[in-house]
Amino acid sequence: MKKILTIAKKEFLDMFRDKRTLMRMILIPLLAFPVIIYLITALQAAESEKEATKELVVGYHLNGQSSAMIERMDTTAHFKFVPYTDTTSLSAAVSNDSINLGIWFSSSFDQNYEAREQGEYGVFYRSADMEEYDRFQELIKIQEEYLVQERLAQNELPAEYVQPLLLNSQGGNKSTMTETIAKYAGGILPYIFMAFCFMGCMLPAIDLFAGEKERGTIETLLVTPVNRVHILVGKMIVVTAFGLLSATVSLVGLLGSLYLMEIDPELNQIIAMVITPQLVIMLYALLIPTAIFFAGIMIPVSVYSRSFKEAQSILTPLNMAVIIPTLVGFLPGIELDYTTSWIPIVNVVLATKAMIAGDPDFGPVIITFVSLIFLSAIAVFISLKQFGKEGNVLR
Amino acid sequence: MIKVENLKKSFKLTSKQQKEFNTTDTEAKSVDGISFTCQPGKIFSLLGPNGAGKTTTLRMLSTIIKPTSGTIEVAGFNVDMQANEVRKRIGFLTGSTGLYERLTPDEILKYYADLNDVSKADFEKRKKHYYDLLDMNDFAKKRIGQLSTGMKQKVSITRTMIHDPEVVVFDEPTSGLDVITAENIIKLIRDCKTAGKTVIFSSHIMSEVDLLCDDLAIINKGKILYQDTMQHFRTNMKTASLTAEFIRIVNENQPINA
């Protein structure tokens, strides 16, 4: 045990002095989310402000109908209405982007409206600028509401005439906030954990085996009176620990940025409700064997590889094999059950979602945990076999 | 003492390697039935061209790889059965030995001392001895990556000797080093001899062998072609120089154990 700790201690020291390690496993996971969230919110805010104040030029063709509706809409801020003599030129103007939108009326619009029928109109828009269309639709809705009220007043009818249903305040949402969060956003947490855990394991796994071969230090290590199993375990502890560290740092970065940037106070309350000590303990109970499993699949590759580059070129595509199953967490219909609990990675994601929801079925959770332990044991065994092969170590 | 008897090592060839070497053999014999003995207080040299089987032999002596057959005894312990006991008593240094670039000499030496179960008092005593002897005090706390090749070699030497091994294995220890740096190694090998340690070193530089060794074996294609004392080698030479004699023996390729 003493030798294992000596090896682990030395590897920690060595890794922490590596600038690449600090960048990729601590700094990037820590800053990734704050930077992304800051940029997205700042960009969104700037874009929304710009869009809201941008003047939309709307062409219209009355087709001999009343201009009353256009006149009402023309009073709205940041809208400008320009007349056109026919729909062809109106359509062309929208197509070539010389105006933002176009509206035309049928030749029987006024007559139909007066006859209590539907007045027909059309809109030219460009789906590439949907936000402009959406803003105009808001304007149209206001007009429609205005015309409904006008008709009701003409016929001396109450507003309830066109609102025959009334939703009683008794009743409402019966699922808890955490259940809703777990269903729709619960996939994010395990996704972050798994992705960063995998990336966190990768660099040390490569450096501690392929890197040691490349630097020519492996032979002197093998001549010391230390059992190879102890050497492997000492190094594996470091690989696993860096996976966990990277995942933890990324989560701290995400939660920290949500708190510090004060994007939404309600969101902060929800997070405080979801991230309980019990959840964190259970999450790590699943993540530790997962990290060992990741280390166990990376180490044989690294042991086999002649160089850092060779190991990296094999392990990098493996990243996708982890990322893709974690995306299952974003699909609302799939839940942890006696079948999905046997699928590696998917089971961790779904178990985490179930735990966030606060209603985990303990049978599948136990299967998930046991299968992870079993898989990590297999991975460690394969690592031991590969590390024991002299052809690999001295390749 | 090192006793090697009928030592063999073969490696399985992959189909790619079979094509590369243009052979249908499924395995390659790297070491093919060699025997020799290295005495304490003497320097034994394993001489041979590149690919002769020197490194494979020394790796087997050092427990890094296992023999296919034959026996090796190092300091009275069987390499195959008592590998850990052998490792406690062996020092291993190669010309291509690397060091951990991000650690300091102090940290590296402490690491290897701990792995070799060296007591704190012995560690401090030996460290001071080598630091003074090799003039290492000035760079003891600098990272290896910042040191010159010569400084690194001094660290490697101290690392090899930190547990005071009975047997020291040098695999082409001066390969790639300049003459001044190589001189440190030559001095170390001599000191080991004076201290009564068993020393085996491999080389393909005849002048180095002439300078140091008491006994030598010439190895080629996994077989020992010549084995005797250095004194007899010099006396019985059929050519004008040591290097020419070495080349003659390798070219004639008549193994003594054929």
Side-chain angles (χ1 to χ4, degrees):
Chain A
M1 189 65 189
K2 195 182 151 202
K3 301 270 176 82
I4 293 173
L5 293 177
T6 301
I7 289 169
K9 194 176 139 194
K10 177 257 157 192
E11 299 298 3
F12 273 121
L13 180 67
D14 203 1
M15 291 305 296
F16 272 116
R17 282 192 186 159
D18 184 12
K19 282 179 189 159
R20 282 179 311 183
T21 308
L22 297 177
M23 279 288 289
R24 283 177 54 175
M25 290 187 300
I26 297 170
L27 211 61
I28 292 175
L30 185 68
L31 297 179
F33 289 107
V35 170
I36 291 168
I37 289 170
Y38 175 76
L39 286 178
I40 290 173
T41 49
L43 279 171
Q44 261 183 349
E47 197 61 28
S48 308
E49 198 183 328
K50 197 177 133 193
E51 280 303 322
T53 54
K54 180 182 165 187
E55 188 178 68
L56 291 188
V57 180
V58 185
Y60 64 91
H61 171 51
L62 287 174
N63 204 8
Q65 305 304 300
S66 160
S67 63
M69 190 166 137
I70 296 294
E71 282 163 12
R72 281 195 301 272
M73 289 196 290
D74 203 12
T75 58
T76 314
H78 310 303
F79 277 92
K80 185 185 172 188
F81 285 82
V82 181
Y84 276 75
T85 52
D86 57 87
T87 51
T88 312
S89 59
L90 183 66
S91 169
V94 174
S95 294
N96 64 29
D97 212 13
S98 58
I99 57 172
N100 300 104
L101 299 137
I103 182 167
W104 57 270
F105 299 90
S106 75
S107 56
S108 58
F109 184 91
D110 289 348
Q111 190 187 340
N112 287 351
Y113 176 70
E114 295 301 331
R116 309 286 189 262
E117 290 170 5
Q118 286 183 307
E120 193 182 1
Y121 74 102
V123 175
F124 293 118
Y125 67 100
R126 298 184 328 121
S127 61
D129 301 309
M130 275 310 278
E131 67 286 350
E132 294 175 357
Y133 178 73
D134 291 342
R135 272 179 66 191
F136 188 53
Q137 279 300 107
E138 289 293 316
L139 214 56
I140 297 284
K141 266 187 198 169
I142 293 168
Q143 290 310 309
E144 194 169 18
E145 180 61 24
Y146 174 86
L147 294 175
V148 167
Q149 294 303 325
E150 192 178 65
R151 273 187 179 176
L152 290 171
Q154 282 169 2
N155 291 281
E156 295 176 348
L157 291 169
E160 290 76 17
Y161 184 78
V162 287
Q163 290 171 342
L165 293 178
L166 177 66
L167 180 65
N168 193 286
S169 59
Q170 257 193 341
N173 180 21
K174 285 293 167 193
S175 64
T176 63
M177 182 63 85
T178 50
E179 279 173 344
T180 313
I181 294 287
K183 186 158 188 179
Y184 296 102
I188 295 170
L189 200 64
Y191 172 80
I192 293 168
F193 252 55
M194 302 287 270
F196 278 97
C197 181
F198 188 86
M199 283 192 279
C201 286
M202 199 158 90
L203 198 61
I206 296 173
D207 195 63
L208 267 51
F209 293 90
E212 185 129 35
K213 277 163 77 176
E214 199 173 11
R215 288 189 295 269
T217 48
I218 191 82
E219 282 184 337
T220 47
L221 184 60
L222 295 178
V223 179
T224 58
V226 185
N227 190 314
R228 285 191 190 186
V229 177
H230 294 171
I231 296 176
L232 179 83
V233 172
K235 286 172 177 278
M236 207 167 199
I237 287 172
V238 179
V239 176
T240 307
F242 270 99
L244 294 171
L245 179 69
S246 195
T248 307
V249 163
S250 66
L251 191 68
V252 168
L254 172 67
L255 298 180
S257 55
L258 290 175
Y259 271 109
L260 295 174
M261 288 182 201
E262 290 177 341
I263 294 163
D264 185 352
E266 201 184 339
L267 184 67
N268 287 355
Q269 279 179 2
I270 293 167
I271 291 168
M273 223 156 62
V274 170
I275 313 287
T276 59
Q278 292 94 319
L279 176 77
V280 173
I281 291 166
M282 288 182 85
L283 207 55
Y284 275 91
L286 291 175
L287 200 66
I288 291 168
T290 308
I292 297 172
F293 171 60
F294 286 161
I297 55 174
M298 288 180 194
I299 288 170
V301 174
S302 184
V303 168
Y304 171 79
S305 303
R306 282 193 182 91
S307 63
F308 195 99
K309 265 191 174 176
E310 188 182 346
Q312 204 170 25
S313 67
I314 301 171
L315 286 175
T316 305
L318 260 184
N319 209 352
M320 294 310 293
V322 173
I323 298 292
I324 291 167
T326 54
L327 296 176
V328 167
F330 293 101
L331 306 174
I334 303 176
E335 287 180 357
L336 186 75
D337 55 31
Y338 284 94
T339 308
T340 53
S341 58
W342 290 102
I343 307 168
I345 300 171
V346 170
N347 54 9
V348 180
V349 174
L350 296 178
T352 311
K353 276 182 77 174
M355 285 190 279
I356 291 171
D359 62 346
D361 186 349
F362 280 99
V365 171
I366 288 165
I367 291 173
T368 301
F369 186 69
V370 171
S371 68
L372 273 175
I373 298 276
F374 181 66
L375 271 178
S376 55
I378 291 174
V380 171
F381 179 74
I382 294 168
S383 293
L384 278 173
K385 284 294 233 185
Q386 292 299 312
F387 193 59
K389 280 186 185 174
E390 57 191 40
N392 280 344
V393 175
L394 300 172
R395 191 165 171 253
Chain B
M1 175 134 59
I2 300 172
K3 273 188 199 170
V4 174
E5 277 178 31
N6 198 24
L7 184 65
K8 290 184 182 177
K9 180 69 184 176
S10 49
F11 295 98
K12 280 188 180 159
L13 291 176
T14 61
S15 52
K16 192 183 165 189
Q17 286 168 325
Q18 283 177 318
K19 276 183 193 167
E20 202 179 320
F21 302 135
N22 196 24
T23 179
T24 53
D25 294 344
T26 52
E27 57 178 31
K29 288 176 183 171
S30 185
V31 174
D32 191 8
I34 65 170
S35 303
F36 60 85
T37 304
C38 311
Q39 300 290 345
K42 283 189 173 182
I43 300 171
F44 185 93
S45 175
L46 205 56
L47 196 67
N50 290 337
K54 303 187 297 288
T55 298
T56 305
T57 304
L58 297 188
R59 279 177 173 173
M60 284 191 279
L61 290 182
S62 315
T63 74
I64 298 170
I65 56 174
K66 287 190 171 186
T68 306
S69 66
T71 58
I72 308 172
E73 208 176 86
V74 173
F77 295 96
N78 185 288
V79 161
D80 198 25
M81 313 293 289
Q82 298 158 296
N84 242 25
E85 294 304 317
V86 171
R87 287 173 190 149
K88 284 177 189 170
R89 291 162 178 84
I90 207 165
F92 183 77
L93 182 70
T94 78
S96 58
T97 297
L99 292 164
Y100 302 105
E101 298 278 307
R102 296 185 287 265
L103 301 189
T104 66
D106 272 356
E107 288 161 350
I108 286 178
L109 296 176
K110 182 75 175 80
Y111 179 52
Y112 280 97
D114 287 345
L115 293 182
N116 282 287
D117 296 316
V118 178
S119 70
K120 201 180 171 200
D122 284 344
F123 168 65
E124 292 299 337
K125 191 176 78 184
R126 285 178 204 147
K127 190 174 86 166
K128 186 179 182 316
H129 169 74
Y130 282 101
Y131 274 17
D132 292 342
L133 186 76
L134 299 171
D135 196 19
M136 291 171 63
N137 288 297
D138 287 347
F139 58 87
K141 295 193 188 314
K142 278 189 180 173
R143 292 198 190 170
I144 296 294
Q146 299 171 320
L147 305 183
S148 68
T149 310
M151 289 169 173
K152 284 179 189 171
Q153 199 59 29
K154 286 176 181 178
V155 179
S156 285
I157 288 169
T158 313
R159 177 198 57 75
T160 308
M161 305 308 291
I162 200 70
H163 57 299
D164 192 25
E166 284 177 58
V167 174
V168 193
V169 177
F170 296 96
D171 184 16
E172 300 197 3
T174 59
S175 161
L177 300 179
D178 62 61
V179 281
I180 296 169
T181 314
E183 187 56 31
N184 287 321
I185 306 282
I186 305 287
K187 191 173 178 306
L188 170 70
I189 295 172
R190 281 199 176 126
D191 288 348
C192 287
K193 179 186 170 177
T194 312
K197 296 181 189 301
T198 305
V199 179
I200 180 167
F201 87 101
S202 73
S203 180
H204 55 259
I205 306 165
M206 203 61 212
S207 58
E208 210 171 74
V209 174
D210 184 38
L211 192 71
L212 290 168
C213 85
D214 299 296
D215 302 312
L216 88 161
I218 295 175
I219 182 171
N220 191 30
K221 293 178 182 169
K223 291 177 188 288
I224 287 186
L225 306 179
Y226 180 92
Q227 188 178 340
D228 209 332
T229 63
M230 191 62 208
Q231 186 59 44
H232 275 114
F233 184 81
R234 285 194 202 96
T235 315
N236 300 326
M237 275 183 2
K238 292 176 184 168
T239 55
S241 72
L242 291 166
T243 305
E245 185 62 9
F246 165 60
I247 293 168
R248 184 191 69 75
I249 291 169
V250 170
N251 285 343
E252 285 181 7
N253 202 25
Q254 291 296 318
I256 58 166
N257 56 346

